[in-house]
Amino acid sequence: MTERFTLKNTKIWLAAGAAALGLAVAAPAALAGNFTDKAVSFDGVNLNINDDEDLLQTLIDMDAEDIADLREEMADARADIKDAIGDVEEARREAKEDPKTAGFVDIAFAAASASVESSTRGVFDNVYAALDRAESNLDAGKVEVSDAEFEETSEAIAVIREELAGVEAALDELLAAMKSS
């Protein structure tokens, strides 16, 4: 009786551990760069993607230091995601040692990957669309800026796009690692 009870508890703990690991891996990815459906925040700068005027003004106000901070924060987010990929791969290697555990790990990672995918895809699309609108408004001269501010703002928009694409690519790698078996 005791042996069955222990085996049953082991299976439960393995399932719970696999699920917790999956969610622990998903959390940094989903929150990388502090993305929401309303804003992207980094180091004190909040890009309100639902208010075109506010977004453009924030982009205009960004200076070289803000851009460097953005690059650093996005690099940190990519590094966190790469670490999560390593955790996924390690969990898969360990799970292969016990076929009973492998199923739990697969289920946990499938659920976590679905969560990451659903929580980030729309956000990326919204941010890219907001940046497109800001760039269009800047190009159309809807705000008065000096030539230097125009160039700096255009650079900020380009850097944000580039860095978001890097985070998005890292998330794609994480999703692929989570979905592989």
Side-chain angles (χ1 to χ4, degrees):
M1 184 92 160
T2 305
E3 191 170 306
R4 276 194 221 168
F5 180 75
T6 304
L7 181 59
K8 181 179 178 183
N9 283 343
T10 301
K11 287 181 180 179
I12 291 169
W13 283 110
L14 287 173
L21 176 62
L23 293 175
V25 167
L31 299 176
N34 298 314
F35 302 126
T36 71
D37 61 348
K38 295 180 176 65
V40 175
S41 299
F42 63 93
D43 201 34
V45 175
N46 185 33
L47 302 175
N48 182 351
I49 62 174
N50 286 334
D51 183 339
D52 289 350
E53 288 179 26
D54 183 56
L55 173 62
L56 183 54
Q57 188 58 52
T58 302
L59 291 166
I60 291 168
D61 292 343
M62 287 180 71
D63 59 18
E65 185 178 328
D66 292 327
I67 293 170
D69 290 344
L70 171 96
R71 285 187 185 278
E72 183 179 329
E73 190 158 325
M74 294 296 183
D76 290 344
R78 287 190 308 274
D80 289 345
I81 294 168
K82 296 287 184 190
D83 289 344
I85 292 169
D87 293 342
V88 168
E89 291 168 349
E90 181 180 347
R92 290 211 182 276
R93 279 191 303 274
E94 290 176 8
K96 285 182 180 176
E97 294 173 11
D98 181 1
K100 295 174 191 167
T101 307
F104 293 122
V105 170
D106 287 344
I107 291 167
F109 285 140
S113 68
S115 173
V116 171
E117 200 158 17
S118 69
S119 66
T120 59
R121 291 303 169 211
V123 173
F124 282 109
D125 293 343
N126 290 343
V127 173
Y128 288 128
L131 290 172
D132 289 346
R133 290 189 308 272
E135 186 173 49
S136 177
N137 289 339
L138 181 66
D139 290 343
K142 292 191 177 183
V143 292
E144 283 191 37
V145 293
S146 67
D147 289 345
E149 285 177 319
F150 181 89
E151 289 303 317
E152 195 170 64
T153 304
S154 295
E155 179 188 354
I157 292 169
V159 167
I160 293 168
R161 280 190 184 124
E162 175 187 328
E163 294 298 328
L164 284 175
V167 170
E168 194 171 20
L171 280 173
D172 287 342
E173 289 177 32
L174 175 59
L175 291 170
M178 293 170 88
K179 291 176 183 178
S180 72
S181 38

